[in-house]
Structures are given as C-alpha cells and as structure tokens.
Amino acid sequence: MSKVEDALKAPSVRSRNPERTRAEILSEAVHEFAEHGFHGARVERITKAAKCNARMIYHYFGGKEQLYLAVLDSVYAQIRNREAQLRFGTADPITEARRLVEFTYDYFAENGDFLKMIRNENLLQGKYIKRSQMIRDMSQPFIAAIGELMERGYSAGVFSRKPDPVQLYVTVVALSAHHLNNAATLGTVVGQDLTDLSWQAERRDHAVEVVLSYLGIQTRG
Amino acid sequence: MSKVEDALKAPSVRSRNPERTRAEILSEAVHEFAEHGFHGARVERITKAAKCNARMIYHYFGGKEQLYLAVLDSVYAQIRNREAQLRFGTADPITEARRLVEFTYDYFAENGDFLKMIRNENLLQGKYIKRSQMIRDMSQPFIAAIGELMERGYSAGVFSRKPDPVQLYVTVVALSAHHLNNAATLGTVVGQDLTDLSWQAERRDHAVEVVLSYLGIQTRG
DNA sequence: CACTTAAGTAAATATCTTTTGATTTAATTT
DNA sequence: AAATTAAATCAAAAGATATTTACTTAAGTG
C-alpha cells in the first residue's frame, strides 16, 4: 500500500480501550434493542453506532443474546438505584402517595428506553428476565414500602381504603406507562399527539388525581 | 416414481378452496404476528400452521408486510364491531360508567391477540396503523360516546368530575391492558402470576373501583 | 370435453444476518 | 527490548429467511 493510500484511510486502527469499547457497545445496544426489539435489532447497526467492529460484540459479550441480557440488566439496575433513593417514611401519607405517582410517572417519561426494553421483553414472554436473579430481587422492597405507606395512611384515617399494594403498584405503573407504550396506536385512534409535552403534563395531573381520589383524598371542590 | 412411493406420500395435493386457504393463512398469521411480532414472525411457521405452501402467502396477500397489514385491519375491525354494539345512552350514568370499564376489561382479557398486535405495532412506531384509514375512523364514535356519558353524569350531579374523555379513555384502557401487556415482567417483579384467573378477577374489581371513585362515586362504606 | 384459469407444489435463489477464523498490532510485562 | 497478551481488523463462512421461478393439476366454462 502506498504512502498516499495510507494517509487517506488514516486512523484505521482504533486506540485500545477495553472499558470504553465495552461501554459504548452496551450503550448503543440499549438504543438498538429498545428501538427495534430483539428480533428487529441488528448487530451491524450497533457496531456502526459504537464505531467498532462486529467482532467486538462476540469478544466482550459472547453474542447477540448475551448482549441483550446485559442491556436488560443494565436498564433495570438503573431504575432500582433510583427507587432505592425514595423513602416513603418521612412526610404525611398524602404527600407520599403523590410522590409515588410522580416519581413513577417522571421516571418512565424521562427514561424512554426502560419501557421500550420491557415492552420487548414481554413480547418475548419474559424469556430473559426470568434468567436474571438480580431483577427478581429488585422491586420487592419498593412494593413493601408501598404496603407500609398504605397501612400508615389508612390507620391514620387519611386514606379511606387500604388496597393491595400489588394492585396499587400495577395501577400506578399502568397510568404512567400505557400512553407511552402505546403512543403510536392510541395517538392515531384518538387523533391527538400523545408525545406532545403539554399532553403529557395533563396526563401527569390526571394520573395523580386518579390515584389520590381512589385513596379517598379530595383533590378539589 | 413407483406406485409404492406414490402411496406413501399420499395426498400431496391439497383440495382447492381459495376462501378457506386465504382465511386459514390470515387466521394463523394473526397468531404468529401476535405471538412473535413482525420481525419475530416466520413465514414458514404460518404456512405450516395453515397447512399450505409458502407461495400461497404471495399469491393471496403479496408478501409478509401486506399479510401483516391484513392481520392488523382484521383485529381492529373485530373490536370495532363489538364497540358499536355498546350504547351508553340507556341506563343511569353510574351503571354506564361501570359497563364502560367492564366491557373494555373483558374484551382485552378475552381477545389476547388484539393487545399483542397493538403492542407490536407500537414497537414499529405505528408504521402500519398510520396507513389504515379504516382504523383511524373507528374509535371516534366510541370516544364521543364517553364524552356524552361524562356530560350526562356530571350535569345530573352524579359524577363529581367531568374529565376529558380522552384522558378517561386512556385510563380505562391502561387499567385494563397494562397487566396483560406486561404479565411476564410484572409477574416476575411482584412475584405473582398475573395470568392466574383469580388474580385477573381481582384486577377487574380494582379497575372498576378506581374509575368509579375517580368520578366521585362511592363504591363502599 | 377440450380449454382456460388460477390454486397449489417443489425447488432454487437472492438476501440478509449472525458468527467465526485468521491475522495484525497496541499496550503491558518481565 | 524482547516476549506476551488481548484489543481490534478484515474477510468470509455459516445460517436463516423471504421471495421467485418454473412447473403441475384441479376445478370451472363455453
């Protein structure tokens, strides 16, 4: 190869940096799997985005499946960390109930890839989440905390109900997530743009009102 | 080929029946696309299930994409027909609000493929639903009917709120669908089997209570 | 009953995707 | 500074999947 050709294709070798390369692959894989799902995701797109060679995925992760698993673990680990920061023990039950809804709502709104990964994982019938012990253990404390909050609010006479914590959790998540998971179809069907920020702000208020009024708290009038 | 071989591979020719073949392909395609999504779906699995040759998909539908579109139209057409039977004008507003939730909940519970198709269509960012004018027009009357019901209940002094019909619709759908769409991940996370029939019966009661109490209706106490 | 049409079959092709083998070379260690 | 390790590249094999071509034959038609 001539000196000229050499100069043109310039830095054909990437400087070595295992941590960075691994991290970039993982980060781009989050987007790719979130956006297209496991079957729709393309190894080539990930490597292009990570500006590295396809071989590296096999080097660092073992294959497409293992990479997917690493991505799933990674997005769950992130929300677990955030949840752990929440403590429902401090303020009065009404404030805490509101915090619960707002935290959940905001986390989903701000971390689009999390819901998208979950949507795909459910399409695969939870094939991979079942393999991850880490994820299994994660939300137990969160749900336990909700149970304690319900107990506290009810015995203080502030809540008129003491719902099953799991039902309440599923409801909070449903109210916060469904319009994001189904923005395309719902938006088409109702003729509104659900990705619009003012729509989502309305949705947030609505979600809070629904949960608080279910607990028997007057939010107006 | 010998007579013996002939006899062994027996009826290698399928009796001709265009309507039946087309209908069987469509029906099996609903399951395949619902179960695996567009990218996960396999043409070969569909033809095997429909007991016909892959060529027939191209003969009757033109290709995998067009078949998917036909499936999407088909599942939406089905729910549209059911919704059209509902009329919220008759009974008192409380009963009608309850009917709204119960109808939505039951339809989703009983027609698993519908939600699954929608989940996948959202993974594809609504790529195909946007092409279907039929689906666009479909839910407008349903949402209008919800709006009228809210109006009626509020002016009769039975509801304490008059929510935006779209927000209420999204909430009813969310409460009815989220645990089905996310049964695998939620089930793992909360450590319960959300596909269990008694769990789902509880969920149904819960959904009704949430919506009715939001509208300001006492469901107990 | 010849004749036409299109339903159906079988096999090959064209593509697209993941994965691996062989090799180079940057960094680290002794 | 030679030797070693493993990060990175390149190219192609291996695998899977959608689609098409060429052909066969059942059913309907004048």
Side-chain angles (χ1 to χ4, degrees), chain A residues 94 97-98 101-102 105 161 168 171-172 175-176 201-221, chain B residues 160-164 167-168 171 209-216:
Chain A
I94 295 179
R98 180 183 289 273
V101 182
E102 290 178 344
Y105 187 96
R161 279 191 180 82
L168 192 81
T171 288
V172 171
L175 293 172
S176 303
E202 256 186 60
R203 181 71 195 159
R204 189 177 190 265
D205 293 341
H206 176 85
V208 171
E209 282 205 354
V210 167
V211 172
L212 292 192
S213 63
Y214 173 64
L215 293 174
I217 298 159
Q218 290 292 344
T219 56
R220 60 186 233 177
Chain B
S160 69
R161 278 190 182 81
K162 192 177 66 178
D164 173 18
Q167 291 292 346
L168 192 81
T171 288
E209 281 204 354
V210 168
V211 172
L212 292 192
S213 63
Y214 173 64
L215 293 174

Side-chain angles (χ1 to χ4, degrees), chain B:
Chain B
M1 189 184 283
S2 77
K3 286 270 168 75
V4 177
E5 279 167 329
D6 228 31
L8 280 173
K9 69 182 323 206
S12 80
V13 284
R14 178 195 177 101
S15 76
R16 298 191 171 197
N17 191 336
E19 290 82 14
R20 195 197 56 163
T21 302
R22 193 185 188 282
E24 269 180 7
I25 290 174
L26 188 65
S27 161
E28 296 300 339
V30 169
H31 290 117
E32 180 68 14
F33 283 121
E35 221 53 55
H36 303 284
F38 180 79
H39 291 293
R42 294 292 168 256
V43 167
E44 201 196 349
R45 275 200 297 255
I46 295 172
T47 58
K48 259 189 182 162
K51 289 192 267 297
C52 74
N53 192 285
R55 188 70 185 75
M56 291 297 94
I57 286 180
Y58 298 86
H59 185 46
Y60 287 112
F61 295 92
K64 190 185 180 186
E65 276 207 335
Q66 290 98 317
L67 177 56
Y68 176 88
L69 238 166
V71 165
L72 195 63
D73 266 356
S74 136
V75 296
Y76 262 103
Q78 219 174 312
I79 194 179
R80 182 187 58 176
N81 288 339
R82 291 290 302 277
E83 279 178 356
Q85 290 173 242
L86 270 187
R87 286 283 163 262
F88 294 132
T90 353
D92 71 292
I94 296 179
T95 305
E96 296 292 36
R98 180 182 289 273
R99 275 183 72 214
L100 165 63
V101 182
E102 291 178 344
F103 166 80
T104 307
Y105 187 96
D106 291 341
Y107 189 86
F108 291 164
E110 289 161 16
N111 299 75
D113 288 338
F114 177 70
L115 278 186
K116 287 175 180 167
M117 281 303 298
I118 287 184
R119 170 169 62 195
N120 181 69
E121 179 59 10
N122 278 290
L123 184 70
L124 302 178
Q125 288 151 118
K127 185 175 172 187
Y128 298 98
I129 201 180
K130 282 169 191 154
R131 295 188 196 168
S132 172
Q133 187 58 44
M134 192 207 77
I135 295 175
R136 274 193 133 67
D137 306 333
M138 145 200 163
S139 280
Q140 310 297 11
F142 193 62
I143 289 172
I146 293 174
E148 285 159 26
L149 173 59
M150 294 302 111
E151 185 68 55
R152 193 155 65 92
Y154 185 70
S155 53
V158 181
F159 299 168
S160 69
R161 278 190 182 81
K162 192 177 66 178
D164 173 18
V166 169
Q167 291 292 346
L168 192 81
Y169 173 72
V170 173
T171 288
V172 170
V173 171
L175 293 172
S176 303
H178 191 81
H179 64 287
L180 296 173
N181 272 333
N182 300 277
T185 58
L186 275 180
T188 301
V189 155
V190 305
Q192 298 182 7
D193 179 10
L194 306 207
T195 64
D196 184 78
L197 288 184
S198 68
W199 196 95
Q200 297 199 354
E202 256 186 60
R203 181 72 194 156
R204 188 179 191 265
D205 292 343
H206 176 85
V208 169
E209 281 204 354
V210 168
V211 172
L212 292 192
S213 63
Y214 173 64
L215 293 174
I217 299 158
Q218 291 291 342
T219 56
R220 60 189 232 178

